Amino acid sequence: MALRAPLQNPSKPLRPNNPLVPSFRHPSLIPMARQTRWLPSIAASLHHDAAHRDEVLRAARSSLGNCLSETHLEITVPGLTSKARGKVRDVYDGGDYLVLVTTDRQSAFDRVLASIPFKGQVLNETSLWWFNMTQHITPNAVVSTPDKNVTIAKKCSVFPVEFVVRGFVTGSTDTSLWTVYNKGMRNYCGNDLPDGMVKNQKLPGNIITPTTKGVDHDVPVSPEEIIKLGLMTQDEFDEVSSKALKLFAYGQQVALENGLLLVDTKYEFGKGPDGKILLIDEVHTPDSSRYWIADSYEERFAAGLEPENVDKEFLRLWFKNHCNPYEDKVLPDAPEELVCELAWRYIFLFEKITRTKFKLPETEEQIHDRISKNVSHALSCL
């Protein structure tokens, strides 16, 4: 059972009858140049606003020693218990609610690679923007946001499946679509893939390639296996997969209107106390998603060059070129310039998508103390 997006975008349009939003057809039928020629040129805009970029890079360098790499709210906030440490988020049990703290930890290859200044704040604020913008597609678990790095959410029974949605054949990890396609696989997670595709090519239609958690790595799984293993019922899977495709189509639409291509992403869902299916975790962040610069994609693809990306892919590639990130017990330290550049790219993406200015935190501010104070107050009011 292949999970592909319908030819018509089923989600609520960002702008009704917008002729600038491409339908889901093969790129040979819709040249990318026609999709992006109306956009302002942003291929160089990662460096275009030199003063703003320099400001962010200076702030990032001065904040390298003040990253939020670990949290201990179970000690500093009364009533919080049972901390669960994820790759990026620390999750605390607050009774009827969960307290999710987005740290500055940078993960890839199923391990933490570095800490990136401001990253936790950027991810949290990016997700909150998307949670708000996608309520017409699906309800979410957000209750309140007492701090720049914190979301308080409803407790959910989480489906043990991540819904990875892809629009292009790309990637560098072991489970990426390009990696498995290049090895000859033509049916992946229930999706039949045509012969003759090359890296970074647009798929004929968006597809879902679900994964479930293994001991060390995410494990690709087909829809049939999800049902057979009892991970979800058929009705639950059908509802969630439909929501995931609609979310992705809407995300692509918003991204393109801001000069970007949403290449792939992952969603997580759970059931709230009332049994309603809710969107959880994060939405369309540069951690969970891959973004490319739109107006340079076609030319670079034709030349066999990697697309200009606005996510963590360049850091992934650096580690792949300097070590074996899956097997080496000790990894090299990420160069400071790459860490600061990633901080800038995350902020650049936030500002492009939301069309708002990211507020840099005060360098001398003790992030953990601020979070403890804000979460304590928020919980006392619930």
Side-chain angles (χ1 to χ4, degrees):
M1 176 171 59
L3 288 170
R4 296 182 180 274
L7 292 179
Q8 302 252 340
N9 182 350
S11 65
K12 176 182 175 182
L14 183 65
R15 296 189 179 111
N17 301 318
N18 190 342
L20 300 178
V21 178
S23 59
F24 291 96
R25 288 182 286 165
H26 193 274
S28 64
L29 300 179
I30 303 181
M32 187 62 66
R34 204 178 81 207
Q35 296 180 23
T36 60
R37 66 188 178 196
W38 57 274
L39 295 167
S41 178
I42 69 165
S45 64
L46 276 167
H47 301 81
H48 177 68
D49 190 344
H52 183 36
R53 181 173 181 273
D54 288 346
E55 175 193 14
V56 170
L57 292 177
R58 282 195 303 270
R61 281 191 291 269
S62 65
S63 297
L64 287 170
N66 192 34
C67 289
L68 186 68
S69 300
E70 297 291 340
T71 68
H72 301 285
L73 299 192
E74 76 279 14
I75 298 174
T76 60
V77 178
L80 287 188
T81 59
S82 94
K83 169 186 172 182
R85 186 184 189 273
K87 294 170 189 171
V88 175
R89 287 170 183 79
D90 291 342
V91 182
Y92 295 88
D93 191 329
D96 294 332
Y97 306 98
L98 293 179
V99 176
L100 296 87
V101 184
T102 309
T103 72
D104 296 329
R105 296 192 295 264
Q106 181 65 57
S107 72
F109 308 107
D110 297 307
R111 61 197 298 179
V112 174
L113 303 179
S115 291
I116 311 297
F118 322 131
K119 179 194 165 181
Q121 178 182 339
V122 174
L123 293 191
N124 198 51
E125 293 183 353
T126 300
S127 274
L128 291 173
W129 188 88
W130 281 108
F131 275 129
N132 183 57
M133 294 294 291
T134 55
Q135 291 183 77
H136 65 282
I137 299 174
T138 180
N140 59 66
V142 175
V143 174
S144 67
T145 54
D147 185 271
K148 302 169 185 176
N149 289 68
V150 179
T151 296
I152 296 179
K154 299 175 185 176
K155 278 188 174 178
C156 292
S157 176
V158 179
F159 294 119
V161 177
E162 291 187 351
F163 282 73
V164 182
V165 188
R166 306 178 187 273
F168 292 76
V169 182
T170 192
S172 58
T173 64
D174 285 353
T175 57
S176 72
L177 189 55
W178 170 246
T179 300
V180 298
Y181 185 89
N182 196 37
K183 291 178 179 178
M185 189 173 292
R186 292 297 179 268
N187 185 287
Y188 189 52
C189 300
N191 299 283
D192 291 325
L193 304 170
D195 289 325
M197 298 196 76
V198 297
K199 189 180 182 186
N200 303 324
Q201 185 173 348
K202 195 178 192 312
L203 287 162
N206 296 329
I207 63 173
I208 294 179
T209 59
T211 64
T212 188
K213 294 293 183 183
V215 176
D216 297 313
H217 307 295
D218 293 342
V219 180
V221 61
S222 70
E224 290 79 8
E225 290 170 323
I226 290 173
I227 308 306
K228 184 177 180 180
L229 292 171
L231 303 178
M232 304 177 76
T233 68
Q234 186 68 58
D235 288 344
E236 289 168 345
F237 180 82
D238 290 344
E239 179 178 346
V240 170
S241 59
S242 174
K243 289 177 183 292
L245 287 170
K246 290 176 182 178
L247 285 166
F248 190 66
Y250 181 73
Q252 287 181 311
Q253 180 176 308
V254 174
L256 189 61
E257 294 216 351
N258 289 284
L260 301 168
L261 299 175
L262 177 58
V263 177
D264 50 45
T265 194
K266 62 103 176 165
Y267 305 106
E268 295 189 51
F269 294 84
K271 278 190 172 182
D274 60 357
K276 183 181 293 185
I277 291 179
L278 303 175
L279 179 63
I280 65 171
D281 195 46
E282 62 183 326
V283 190
H284 298 160
T285 71
D287 251 24
S288 65
S289 313
R290 200 185 315 267
Y291 285 92
W292 294 339
I293 300 295
D295 71 343
S296 64
Y297 164 77
E298 186 178 58
E299 181 178 353
R300 295 180 69 85
F301 176 71
L305 300 174
E306 286 294 311
E308 295 179 296
N309 64 75
V310 199
D311 50 53
K312 63 182 179 182
E313 180 66 11
F314 77 99
L315 192 65
R316 283 196 197 102
L317 294 174
W318 185 89
F319 275 95
K320 285 203 73 173
N321 290 332
H322 290 82
C323 63
N324 184 332
Y326 285 111
E327 298 182 5
D328 292 353
K329 291 184 178 180
V330 179
L331 300 183
D333 291 334
E336 181 178 306
E337 60 269 24
L338 289 189
V339 169
C340 294
E341 175 65 24
L342 189 54
W344 159 244
R345 291 190 184 203
Y346 275 28
I347 290 172
F348 169 86
L349 180 63
F350 170 83
E351 293 181 340
K352 288 299 296 183
I353 291 291
T354 68
R355 303 184 187 185
T356 60
K357 185 76 175 290
F358 179 78
K359 185 176 180 180
L360 291 167
E362 298 293 332
T363 304
E364 67 275 8
E365 183 177 47
Q366 293 302 311
I367 304 175
H368 197 281
D369 292 345
R370 184 199 75 207
I371 289 174
S372 299
K373 177 182 176 181
N374 290 339
V375 171
S376 295
H377 180 263
L379 290 177
S380 70
C381 297
L382 289 176

